Amino acid sequence: MIDSNSFMPLNFVKKEPLTGSIAGMRYRFVKNEDKLLVAIWPEPFCFEKTAENKKQYQEFSFDLAGRLEAIQWLNAQYEAQIEFWNSVNTMEF
């Protein structure tokens, strides 16, 4: 699970995308005009090398409230699809 207290501030995302992973689930935060666009997809590939149909997106406001909502969404998606994320850890590509 992602802890909002230890997560990078939005100032980082203003300059470049922020990526990370949690046990099979990769994620990416990027500033898209005045919104925070968050994507999740299964391991093992990077964002650019993953097929678009394997990605899920959600948009949030680009402020502290949006950052917190995005982290909550990430954690909720991880929990809701935990069996899938765990299974990609064992897949061979």
Side-chain angles (χ1 to χ4, degrees):
M1 301 290 284
I2 297 174
D3 177 14
S4 62
N5 294 324
S6 62
F7 202 73
M8 294 293 272
L10 286 178
N11 284 338
F12 181 89
V13 179
K14 284 181 182 178
K15 296 180 181 183
E16 61 184 82
L18 170 68
T19 59
S21 66
I22 309 169
M25 181 182 83
R26 294 205 175 193
Y27 59 86
R28 179 178 187 253
F29 281 52
V30 66
K31 185 175 184 190
N32 185 16
E33 296 179 16
D34 62 342
K35 298 287 185 181
L36 178 61
L37 181 62
V38 180
I40 59 173
W41 68 95
E43 290 184 340
F45 302 114
C46 68
F47 181 82
E48 292 79 11
K49 298 294 183 184
T50 299
E52 197 61 33
N53 66 346
K54 293 187 178 192
K55 299 174 188 171
Q56 299 172 52
Y57 294 92
Q58 188 70 30
E59 230 178 34
F60 302 91
S61 59
F62 197 83
D63 57 16
L64 181 58
R67 176 182 169 271
L68 294 174
E69 287 176 23
I71 293 168
Q72 290 173 347
W73 180 77
L74 279 178
N75 287 330
Q77 294 305 307
Y78 179 75
E79 288 295 322
Q81 302 176 60
I82 196 163
E83 289 181 21
F84 173 68
W85 304 124
N86 287 334
S87 72
V88 297
N89 277 332
T90 61
M91 290 178 157
E92 291 190 28
F93 291 87

